[in-house]
Amino acid sequence: MTHSPAATRVLIVDDHPMVAQGIQSVLEDHDDIDVVGTLGTGRAAIDQLRDLDPDVILMDLNMPEMGGLTATELVLEQRPGTRILILSMHDSPEYITSALSHGAMGYVLKDVPTDEIKTAIDTVMRGDQYLCTGATGAIAPKPGDGTGALTGREQTILLQLAQGLSNKEVALALDISVRTVETHRKNIKRKLGISSTAGLTRYALEHGVLQGTGHAL
């Protein structure tokens, strides 16, 4: 099929070939979708991320070698603009909340009508969150201090920034690029509604992020 230059580039990551092939066959009926690949592990997705350059990744939750949550965090560290939709058989609030907290923009159960996957892709491409019918209502916002909105990596970076480390020092400590730290820093500020580094430090102090850590990494 010939795809337009504006087609959404979709990568399917699922260790069940029949599932991946079934989704691929449905999506390829749409002229505005370009399925750039199907992979069986999260590790393979990380390794081929640069070459495949997907706009959206349909990510299975449970896979060998590397699960979908870990792969989601690593993808977003390398390419923060990638939209990730988690594919799963699990509809429990714990799974859904965990997926969203790791940076996924949507959650789709594997037993939904296949056309709903196209709707989910279109929704996250607009920048909106998507929860399929079986997942909506399974989660509800919980009162808290706001750090629950941060991924595990973001909370780690918040801690180090609050201790006074520079972007370069955080990058060296975590073995990631300075640009990745800058991206996380921007996302942390956006999620917490804080505009300054001093504000991040004050937030960390007020919400106990620094408790028991001292200043050692």
Side-chain angles (χ1 to χ4, degrees), residues 174-191:
L174 299 180
D175 193 24
I176 56 179
S177 71
V178 174
R179 176 175 293 184
T180 297
V181 176
E182 291 171 348
T183 298
H184 280 306
R185 188 180 196 136
K186 181 172 65 176
N187 289 340
I188 292 167
K189 288 180 177 179
R190 175 180 55 80
K191 289 181 178 181

Side-chain angles (χ1 to χ4, degrees), residues 109-201:
L109 297 175
K110 289 187 177 183
D111 60 358
V112 301
T114 48
D115 284 347
E116 187 168 348
I117 295 176
K118 174 63 163 61
T119 301
I121 292 171
D122 292 342
T123 300
V124 298
M125 281 301 293
R126 292 195 302 268
D128 297 324
Q129 186 183 88
Y130 186 88
L131 297 178
C132 72
T133 305
T136 54
I139 60 173
K142 294 182 176 63
D145 59 17
T147 54
L150 303 181
T151 67
R153 178 52 61 93
E154 287 170 346
Q155 292 188 40
T156 299
I157 290 175
L158 170 61
L159 169 62
Q160 298 196 349
L161 292 174
Q163 292 174 350
L165 274 67
S166 67
N167 288 351
K168 185 176 181 180
E169 289 169 330
V170 174
L172 287 171
L174 299 180
D175 193 24
I176 56 179
S177 71
V178 174
R179 176 175 293 184
T180 297
V181 176
E182 291 171 348
T183 298
H184 280 306
R185 188 180 196 136
K186 181 172 65 176
N187 289 340
I188 292 167
K189 288 180 177 179
R190 175 180 55 80
K191 289 181 178 181
L192 299 180
I194 294 171
S195 60
S196 67
T197 300
L200 288 180
T201 302

Side-chain angles (χ1 to χ4, degrees), residues 1-213:
M1 178 182 292
T2 301
H3 300 279
S4 70
T8 299
R9 297 172 60 82
V10 177
L11 172 62
I12 302 168
V13 185
D14 194 301
D15 63 326
H16 297 93
M18 290 185 65
V19 172
Q21 291 165 11
I23 295 172
Q24 179 179 8
S25 65
V26 171
L27 293 180
E28 286 182 338
D29 287 338
H30 298 275
D31 292 336
D32 59 345
I33 295 287
D34 183 0
V35 178
V36 297
T38 59
L39 301 173
T41 68
R43 171 57 61 191
I46 300 303
D47 292 343
Q48 299 188 45
L49 185 62
R50 183 179 297 274
D51 292 335
L52 296 176
D53 190 27
D55 299 307
V56 177
I57 299 178
L58 302 178
M59 184 84 75
D60 189 12
L61 198 58
N62 298 312
M63 293 179 288
E65 294 185 38
M66 180 186 292
L69 296 183
T70 299
T72 293
E73 281 204 339
L74 293 176
V75 166
L76 294 176
E77 282 185 10
Q78 295 185 28
R79 298 196 166 218
T82 307
R83 278 84 163 176
I84 297 181
L85 281 166
I86 294 295
L87 293 173
S88 177
M89 297 180 295
H90 304 286
D91 62 357
S92 69
E94 292 79 11
Y95 279 97
I96 300 168
T97 301
S98 182
L100 298 179
S101 70
H102 278 73
M105 287 190 68
Y107 196 97
V108 179
L109 297 175
K110 289 187 177 183
D111 60 358
V112 301
T114 48
D115 284 347
E116 187 168 348
I117 295 176
K118 174 63 163 61
T119 301
I121 292 171
D122 292 342
T123 300
V124 298
M125 281 301 293
R126 292 195 302 268
D128 297 324
Q129 186 183 88
Y130 186 88
L131 297 178
C132 72
T133 305
T136 54
I139 60 173
K142 294 182 176 63
D145 59 17
T147 54
L150 303 181
T151 67
R153 178 52 61 93
E154 287 170 346
Q155 292 188 40
T156 299
I157 290 175
L158 170 61
L159 169 62
Q160 298 196 349
L161 292 174
Q163 292 174 350
L165 274 67
S166 67
N167 288 351
K168 185 176 181 180
E169 289 169 330
V170 174
L172 287 171
L174 299 180
D175 193 24
I176 56 179
S177 71
V178 174
R179 176 175 293 184
T180 297
V181 176
E182 291 171 348
T183 298
H184 280 306
R185 188 180 196 136
K186 181 172 65 176
N187 289 340
I188 292 167
K189 288 180 177 179
R190 175 180 55 80
K191 289 181 178 181
L192 299 180
I194 294 171
S195 60
S196 67
T197 300
L200 288 180
T201 302
R202 184 168 58 250
Y203 178 93
L205 288 168
E206 291 175 352
H207 291 85
V209 174
L210 294 172
Q211 286 181 359
T213 65

